[in-house]
Structures are given as structure tokens and as C-alpha cells.
């Protein structure tokens, strides 16, 4: 019998704390931060978890060699169960988006779901993989806009997409290791992303942006010194758990510092939960 703990590992449950902040940042940028944003955040989490389950279903044969301890190759979750969970969560995410944001939200959620499945089933191991994954998180930010103007949230969406691109580049080598060029490039990219999220007019945004850069940057610096598989995997985990700090900075930059600090607080919880269930 499949246990809830095994399902939590399949969908990387703690990593979902890196997702609601996308929606909040998008809503703050568009001036549509409302109670309904919680429903859109729930839709975002469902689609994220669906992507994690679909990822492991698609990678089950590779994981049997490289990561035999994952839920599917270890036998704790069957492939059919994983696929069913992915499909069910996708449907739940689309339904929540429609309920919370109507047709405009569904018009973003549908291509977001399509991009998630495209990445898992087709694009992941191609040169387009990082760009497709970045598009997923950029669309996730736009999901939060609701009835507002998507153009207003584009800068935040592109910033989140850039961070996602950096994480994905690192993740492609987290089982094999790399040379020092990879973490040196992503570290430089992290500095650029942090600068985009900061603002002289919003002190909270600057502080949260610095926190993001310190957390993600420190792990990349360690990988720069020794870019083996373990160090790169730690850098990926740091990038995922630092997401709320970046989202919080973008939210504060948009004029919602209290919401930004609340979003960033998830980074603390994510760091501790990552010790229980791996976010990668």
C-alpha cells in the first residue's frame, strides 16, 4: 500500500513552499493582491506537484540506475499510481484556477499545465529544457495577475524565470558533476537576478534580495570550489529553498512589504523541511 510519506516524497512536498510566492508576486505587481490570490496559489501548488509526479514517472527508468531510492524505482509507488496522481493534480490545479480567477486565470493555467507536461515528457533532456522550465515559473507568476494587466507583472515573471533557468542549468549536472565554469556562470546570474529584485525605494526588497543572494550564492560558491554531484545537488536545493526570499523581494518591490516578508518566511520553513523530504 502506498503511504502518504511516499507520495510526499514523490511530489517533493516541501518544495511546494517555493510556489505560492510566484502568484503573490504576480498579484502584487498587477495590483490585484486579494483573498482570491490564495485560491490561485493553491492551483499553482497542485500544478507544481503534478509536475513532480510526472517527472518521476517519465524518469523512472533513468532513476532505476541513478536514483534507485526514489519512490517509483524503489517500488514504494507504482508507475500507474504516480501517473494518476500527476493527472489528478493537474485537473485539480486547472479547476482551482478557474474557480478563483475565472477565464483569465484559466487562460494562463492551461498553457502552464501544458508547459509542465511538455518539460517532463519531451523537453527536459534537450537544449530547450531550461527555457521550458523557466517559462513554467514565469507563467506561474502571471497566474497571480487574475483580472489585472499581465504586462504589469512581466518584469517579476522574467526575474523568476531567470532564477529558474539558473537552477535548471545546475540540476542537469547534479548526478554527474561539472567543471567550475557552470557554477561560475550561474553565480554571476544570481547576482544579476538579485539586483533586479532589489529597490532603493523599497528597503524590504533590498534586504530580502540580499538574503536570496546569500543563500543561493553560498551554495554555488561551494560548488565552484568543488563542482561534484553532491555540491551541485546542494546548490539546486539551495536555489529552490531560496525562491521565497526572491519572491518576497519582488512582492515588496511592488509595494507590498508585509506580504513580501510573509512570503519570504516560507524560506525558513522550506530549509528545515528539506532535511526531512528532499526538494530535488
Amino acid at each position: 500500500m502506498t503511504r502518504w510519506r511516499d507520495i510526499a516524497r514523490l511530489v517533493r512536498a516541501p518544495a511546494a513552499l517555493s510556489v505560492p510566492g510566484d502568484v503573490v508576486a504576480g498579484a502584487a505587481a498587477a495590483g490585484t493582491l486579494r483573498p482570491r490570490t490564495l485560491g490561485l496559489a493553491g492551483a499553482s501548488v497542485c500544478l507544481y506537484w503534478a509536475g513532480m509526479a510526472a517527472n518521476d514517472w517519465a524518469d523512472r527508468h533513468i532513476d532505476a540506475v541513478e536514483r534507485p531510492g526514489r519512490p517509483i524505482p524503489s517500488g514504494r509507488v507504482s508507475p500507474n499510481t504516480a501517473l494518476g496522481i500527476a493527472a489528478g493534480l493537474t485537473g485539480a490545479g486547472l479547476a482551482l484556477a478557474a474557480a478563483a480567477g475565472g477565464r483569465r486565470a484559466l487562460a494562463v493555467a492551461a498553457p502552464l499545465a501544458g508547459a509542465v507536461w511538455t518539460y517532463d515528457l519531451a523537453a527536459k533532456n534537450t537544449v530547450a529544457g531550461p527555457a521550458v522550465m523557466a517559462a513554467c515559473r514565469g507563467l506561474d507568476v502571471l497566474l497571480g495577475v487574475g483580472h489585472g494587466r499581465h504586462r504589469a507583472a512581466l518584469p517579476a515573471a522574467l526575474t523568476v524565470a531567470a532564477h529558474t533557468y539558473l537552477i535548471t542549468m545546475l540540476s542537469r549536472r547534479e548526478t554527474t558533476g561539472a567543471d567550475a565554469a557552470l557554477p561560475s556562470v550561474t553565480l554571476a546570474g544570481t547576482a544579476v537576478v538579485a539586483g533586479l529584485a532589489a529597490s532603493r525605494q523599497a528597503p524590504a526588497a533590498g534586504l530580502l534580495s540580499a538574503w536570496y543572494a546569500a543563500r543561493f550564492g553560498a551554495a554555488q560558491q561551494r560548488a565552484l570550489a568543488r563542482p561534484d554531484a553532491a555540491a551541485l545537488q546542494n546548490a539546486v536545493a539551495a536555489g529552490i529553498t531560496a525562491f521565497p526570499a526572491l519572491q518576497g523581494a519582488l512582492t515588496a518591490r511592488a509595494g507590498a512589504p508585509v506580504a513580501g516578508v510573509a512570503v519570504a518566511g516560507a524560506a525558513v520553513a522550506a530549509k528545515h523541511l528539506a532535511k526531512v523530504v528532499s526538494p530535488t
Side-chain angles (χ1 to χ4, degrees), residues 165-263:
Y165 191 94
L166 298 175
I167 296 176
T168 309
M169 289 295 293
L170 289 167
S171 71
R172 288 162 75 91
R173 301 301 298 273
E174 65 179 344
T175 61
T176 62
D179 57 41
L182 176 60
S184 66
V185 169
T186 59
L187 185 59
T190 299
V192 173
V193 170
L196 292 172
S199 171
R200 291 182 180 179
Q201 288 72 40
L207 290 172
L208 293 174
S209 178
W211 182 18
Y212 153 77
R215 170 169 287 190
F216 190 26
Q220 291 174 88
Q221 285 183 323
R222 290 191 290 272
L224 185 60
R226 187 178 181 180
D228 57 16
L232 290 178
Q233 188 168 354
N234 287 336
V236 172
I240 293 172
T241 57
F243 243 123
L246 175 62
Q247 296 155 340
L250 292 169
T251 301
R253 181 185 176 92
V258 174
V261 171
V263 166

Side-chain angles (χ1 to χ4, degrees), residues 54-78:
N55 172 82
D56 278 19
W57 179 83
D59 282 358
R60 62 193 184 280
H61 301 302
I62 297 174
D63 286 343
V65 177
E66 296 182 351
R67 296 181 176 183
R70 277 188 167 176
I72 295 177
S74 68
R76 299 194 306 275
V77 176
S78 73

Side-chain angles (χ1 to χ4, degrees), residues 8-9 40 49 66 104 127 175 187:
R9 287 177 176 148
L40 295 173
W49 279 341
E66 296 182 351
R104 283 178 60 84
V127 293
T175 61
L187 185 59

Side-chain angles (χ1 to χ4, degrees), residues 6 19-20 28 41 44 55 70 73 108 138 164 185 203 244 247 255 279:
D6 297 324
V19 177
S44 174
N55 172 82
R70 277 188 167 176
V108 177
T164 305
V185 169
Q247 296 155 340

Side-chain angles (χ1 to χ4, degrees), residues 47 90 94 108-122 132 136 139:
L47 294 175
T90 299
L94 293 174
V108 177
L112 170 55
V116 167
W117 281 86
T118 296
Y119 175 80
D120 287 332
L121 301 184
V132 174
C136 289
L139 286 168

Side-chain angles (χ1 to χ4, degrees), residues 4 20 24 51 83-84 125 131 143 161 194 200 270-271:
W4 284 108
V24 174
L83 187 59
N125 297 318
L143 179 61
R200 291 182 180 179
K271 182 178 180 180

